[in-house]
Amino acid sequence: MAYLSRDFEPAEGILASLLMRNSSDNKEVETIVSEVLASVKREGDSALFSLEKAFDKVDLASLSVSEEEFAYAQTLVSPSLQKALGVAKRNIHIFHQLQMPVGETVEVMEGVSLSRKIVPIDSVGLYIPGGTAPLFSTVLMLAIPAKVAGCKHISLCTPPRKDGTIHPAILYAAKLSGVDSVFKVGGAQAIAAMAYGTETIPKVDKIFGPGNRFVTAAKIQVNSECCSIDMPAGPSEVMVVATVDADPSFVASDLLSQAEHGKDSQAMLVVQADQEEGYAFLDRVEEALSAQLATLDRHEYLLPSLSHSHAIVCQRLETVASVVNRYAPEHLIINTTNPKELEELVTNAGSLFLGPWSCESAGDYASGTNHTLPTNGWAHSYSGVSVDSFIKKLTIQTLSRKGLENLGPTIETMAEAELLSAHKNAVTLRLRRKA
């Protein structure tokens, strides 16, 4: 059985269709989300209790996670997982601490001093999905850079389980990484609560985190109204680039580790080779896929994901680079003879993994880079989450009288040319003032 369609240096029209993401009509989703947002904005906590009962099928007594619940959760997390989370936290913290910028100061001309002041965003909200897998790793990826940046308050919303509890590893990771408060609410209603604020859940300045179509639609809608977000989001994706000397089982494992995220995930393979060698290599990858699928769970996600994934064979490195940059993958694995050759040509990707031992799983969990990355082609213009995502940069200028005397004629000339006489006047009256 062939899991991936294959093409050799496809013509423009075919290539465009191969690189197209899965799309769906979101009009119905947008309408439902709009109604949810309006309900939470209008009714606050009351709406959240009702919506949690309707959507997550849970009758909550409280939206907040208590200290007792945090303490009990810790007893349920195995020592081995606690140790693993500690290692991941350390690596993520080290890498993100290095990203903390220092404000610049410069005198551009005599008497005109400019600088930038680095300040954290006051309050941030993190959304952690609770659907097909408890993404406690995402707690670390979002909360740690927020703490490094110095955010004053970090809220976290995540859907409760059917018994009204939160997965203990999520609560443990929240405590470990410095989250201030956790709330039992999911879906679009969680985004609404953080964007508008309710009696229990504080309004935040920026919302972070992945989610399903409803969460994504809610983030986009509140972003246009009242609250900043990290980035637009779509289904998760990987593009693996390989040469024929790569281990086919490594390539297959990387495709499958991405495909298990969800039915709408995409796992793309680009092979640098001539057609005969490339197709022979793809046959070996297909064999490895079959062998590994026989040992894996989550076929309900793996098989649909593979069904809309593709393999493309290209002979020249420059053609491979063109395909990569056009697709702009969330994750780019370069498993080639000389990974640095292609890395130097890549300009559009969320995160790069170089060489046979750099599996995507490393970045997803514990190497230290952030796994909250632009999907759906947004890597053309967005970066992944970093400390930069949690800070603001305020520009400051200080002019002495001498500075305004030096710069004033330039300002007056430009203001007059733009027909903004009040702008010119603010300079002119100062220059006329005797020292």
Side-chain angles (χ1 to χ4, degrees):
M1 175 183 178
Y3 296 100
L4 304 173
S5 69
R6 59 179 67 178
D7 286 89
F8 177 72
E9 298 196 348
E12 169 59 30
I14 296 174
L15 179 62
S17 65
L18 293 176
L19 298 183
M20 192 175 298
R21 266 69 170 195
N22 304 308
S23 60
S24 55
D25 186 358
N26 273 341
K27 289 182 180 177
E28 183 180 358
V29 170
E30 290 169 1
T31 299
I32 293 171
V33 166
S34 181
E35 293 170 354
V36 168
L37 297 182
S39 175
V40 174
K41 188 176 184 179
R42 183 176 60 250
E43 301 169 23
D45 283 355
S46 175
L48 295 179
F49 284 114
S50 298
L51 291 166
E52 281 303 311
K53 191 170 185 178
F55 293 142
D56 290 329
K57 311 301 181 187
V58 56
D59 201 351
L60 293 171
S62 171
L63 295 172
S64 300
V65 174
S66 67
E67 286 301 320
E68 291 75 19
E69 288 174 289
F70 278 113
Y72 181 59
Q74 182 167 350
T75 68
L76 301 178
V77 179
S78 68
S80 61
L81 181 53
Q82 290 189 29
K83 181 179 179 181
L85 287 168
V87 172
K89 177 194 174 183
R90 173 188 175 276
N91 291 349
I92 295 166
H93 186 272
I94 288 172
F95 185 62
H96 287 76
Q97 183 69 54
L98 290 172
Q99 300 169 10
M100 195 65 191
V102 177
E104 312 89 345
T105 300
V106 62
E107 187 173 59
V108 294
M109 60 194 306
E110 184 184 359
V112 181
S113 177
L114 310 180
S115 62
R116 288 203 301 177
K117 177 182 178 182
I118 310 300
V119 298
I121 296 173
D122 282 345
S123 61
V124 295
L126 317 182
Y127 184 79
I128 306 300
T132 64
L135 297 184
F136 51 81
S137 59
T138 303
V139 178
L140 303 182
M141 296 291 176
L142 297 177
I144 291 171
K147 291 297 287 186
V148 169
C151 297
K152 294 177 182 176
H153 192 274
I154 304 171
S155 301
L156 186 153
C157 287
T158 190
R161 298 183 292 186
K162 300 303 180 188
D163 62 357
T165 65
I166 301 299
H167 192 285
I170 289 179
L171 293 184
Y172 181 83
K175 272 293 185 188
L176 181 68
S177 52
V179 171
D180 294 298
S181 49
V182 177
F183 302 101
K184 305 173 186 179
V185 57
Q189 59 270 29
I191 304 304
M194 291 188 285
Y196 304 129
T198 72
E199 298 92 327
T200 299
I201 300 176
K203 173 178 168 47
V204 302
D205 299 311
K206 190 172 183 178
I207 296 173
F208 296 78
N212 61 19
R213 289 187 300 158
F214 295 92
V215 169
T216 298
K219 286 173 66 180
I220 291 171
Q221 288 189 31
V222 299
N223 186 50
S224 67
E225 181 186 352
C226 64
C227 186
S228 178
I229 64 172
D230 48 2
M231 67 188 80
S236 192
E237 63 205 22
V238 70
M239 178 170 273
V240 179
V241 178
T243 42
V244 296
D245 55 345
D247 187 325
S249 66
F250 284 14
V251 172
S253 71
D254 288 330
L255 296 171
L256 290 169
S257 68
Q258 180 59 56
E260 76 172 343
H261 273 296
K263 295 178 181 180
D264 51 1
S265 293
Q266 203 164 30
M268 306 288 279
L269 174 58
V270 181
V271 181
Q272 186 189 349
D274 62 34
Q275 185 170 3
E276 183 178 353
E277 283 187 329
Y279 279 20
F281 178 75
L282 289 177
D283 289 339
R284 297 195 293 275
V285 172
E286 293 282 0
E287 291 172 4
L289 285 170
S290 291
Q292 292 177 37
L293 278 165
T295 70
L296 297 173
D297 301 320
R298 293 174 70 86
H299 282 209
E300 69 274 25
Y301 303 107
L302 287 164
L303 296 178
S305 176
L306 290 175
S307 73
H308 43 247
S309 300
H310 310 287
I312 300 170
V313 179
C314 302
Q315 200 153 3
R316 297 174 61 248
L317 180 67
E318 291 74 17
T319 307
V320 172
S322 176
V323 170
V324 169
N325 286 324
R326 182 165 175 177
Y327 185 71
E330 176 188 15
H331 308 93
L332 175 63
I333 298 174
I334 305 179
N335 189 351
T336 61
T337 308
N338 187 351
K340 289 295 291 183
E341 274 188 335
L342 179 58
E343 184 267 328
E344 290 174 359
L345 299 177
V346 171
T347 56
N348 299 326
S351 189
L352 282 69
F353 302 76
L354 305 187
W357 307 107
S358 304
C359 55
E360 182 201 325
S361 306
D364 274 355
Y365 287 110
S367 66
T369 62
N370 207 290
H371 77 199
T372 310
L373 302 166
T375 61
N376 205 34
W378 285 106
H380 282 102
S381 54
Y382 277 83
S383 305
V385 165
S386 68
V387 171
D388 281 348
S389 308
F390 295 90
I391 61 175
K392 300 178 293 181
K393 300 171 183 178
L394 286 60
T395 57
I396 302 170
Q397 50 206 287
T398 305
L399 279 69
S400 65
R401 180 180 179 90
K402 182 63 176 177
L404 190 59
E405 287 173 351
N406 289 335
L407 190 58
T410 297
I411 302 169
E412 290 174 313
T413 299
M414 294 176 71
E416 186 173 2
E418 285 193 343
L419 307 180
L420 296 175
S421 58
H423 279 66
K424 179 183 178 183
N425 181 61
V427 174
T428 304
L429 68 83
R430 283 175 166 81
L431 294 181
R432 287 175 178 168
R433 182 71 55 85
K434 293 182 180 180

